[in-house]
């Protein structure tokens, strides 16, 4: 696993050993970013269920200005921190060790609105995809924001989260990516 493109292109990334996380493969990450826009001119990325932080680090490498990652596993937080240090994104990346269910209220207190929202919860926890609706209802997404949900290919997600509607689902092996835009 590595950063695919941008200012940190080619930097290898670590992931936590074992089955606690499912890092997004380089192939899926490359396809995802080609769909949502290969490069960004600023903006804020938010990743719930951070794992290795790979998606957010990719967004930063491609031009996002700042990012927030929520992850409750302390070992995964240590890996994210190590990956951020390796990529020299320690000032731009805020790692929050805690439950993703509290992300919206924490970001609301900070006055943060996201341009990119990544959700990749444990596959057995389908209800956690509804955290996207929390972000919409609390107006924590910009008008041009993109919501990206990684999930099991058998799972059918809602067609919309408030004003954010599905623009497509693409299957990659056992996983799928569903993208929402306003």
């Amino acid at each position: 696993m590595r950063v695919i493109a941008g200012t940190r292109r080619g930097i290898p990334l670590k992931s936590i050993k074992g089955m606690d996380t499912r890092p997004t493969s380089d192939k899926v990450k490359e396809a995802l970013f080609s769909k949502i826009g290969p490069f960004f001119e600023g903006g804020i990325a938010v990743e719930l269920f951070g794992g290795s932080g790979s998606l957010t680090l990719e967004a930063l490498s491609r031009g996002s200005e700042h990012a927030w990652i929520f992850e409750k596993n302390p070992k995964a937080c240590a890996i994210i921190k190590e990956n951020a240090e390796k990529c020299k994104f320690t000032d731009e990346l805020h790692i929050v060790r805690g439950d993703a269910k509290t992300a919206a209220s924490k970001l609301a207190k900070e006055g943060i609105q996201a341009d990119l929202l990544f959700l990749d919860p444990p596959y057995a926890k389908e209800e956690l995809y509804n955290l996207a609706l929390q972000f919409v209802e609390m107006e924590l997404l910009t008008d041009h924001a993109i919501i990206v949900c990684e999930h099991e290919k058998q799972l059918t997600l809602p067609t919309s989260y408030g004003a954010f509607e599905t623009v497509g689902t693409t299957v990659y092996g056992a996983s799928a990516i569903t993208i929402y835009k306003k």
Side-chain angles (χ1 to χ4, degrees):
M1 190 172 56
R2 63 189 169 87
V3 178
I4 303 294
T7 60
R8 307 309 194 266
R9 180 181 180 188
I11 294 178
L13 301 173
K14 288 186 172 184
S15 65
I16 192 167
K17 303 265 190 257
M19 299 301 289
D20 290 342
T21 62
R22 294 175 330 279
T24 303
S25 74
D26 286 355
K27 180 182 174 184
V28 172
K29 192 167 39 172
E30 189 169 13
L32 165 64
F33 279 92
S34 72
K35 284 183 182 296
I36 66 172
F39 297 97
F40 310 107
E41 292 183 20
I44 295 174
V46 174
E47 185 173 0
L48 307 182
F49 315 98
S52 67
S54 171
L55 290 174
T56 296
L57 292 168
E58 188 72 35
L60 287 168
S61 180
R62 292 172 183 250
S64 289
E65 289 177 280
H66 294 282
W68 296 73
I69 294 180
F70 292 82
E71 174 58 62
K72 67 180 182 181
N73 181 324
K75 290 178 184 174
C77 286
I79 293 287
I80 294 167
K81 183 175 187 240
E82 189 176 333
N83 285 336
E85 288 169 353
K86 190 183 284 187
C87 292
K88 295 182 175 44
F89 281 136
T90 54
D91 291 338
E92 297 86 350
L93 180 60
H94 308 277
I95 303 166
V96 179
R97 183 175 162 216
D99 196 321
K101 293 175 189 172
T102 66
S105 61
K106 286 183 180 179
L107 292 175
K109 286 178 188 171
E110 298 285 332
I112 302 293
Q113 276 193 311
D115 298 284
L116 276 172
L117 176 62
F118 297 110
L119 287 99
D120 185 10
Y123 282 174
K125 310 255 181 171
E126 292 178 21
E127 70 279 1
L128 295 177
Y129 290 100
N130 290 326
L131 293 176
L133 186 57
Q134 213 178 47
F135 273 73
V136 172
E137 290 173 346
M138 293 177 73
E139 298 181 358
L140 297 174
L141 299 171
T142 63
D143 283 339
H144 60 272
I146 299 169
I147 301 170
V148 177
C149 298
E150 187 170 348
H151 55 91
E152 286 180 306
K153 71 178 180 182
Q154 297 89 347
L155 178 63
T156 302
L157 293 178
T159 56
S160 67
Y161 291 111
F164 288 80
E165 297 182 355
T166 304
V167 293
T169 298
T170 307
V171 175
Y172 305 94
S175 297
I177 301 278
T178 300
I179 298 171
Y180 297 83
K181 290 184 180 179
K182 202 168 195 180

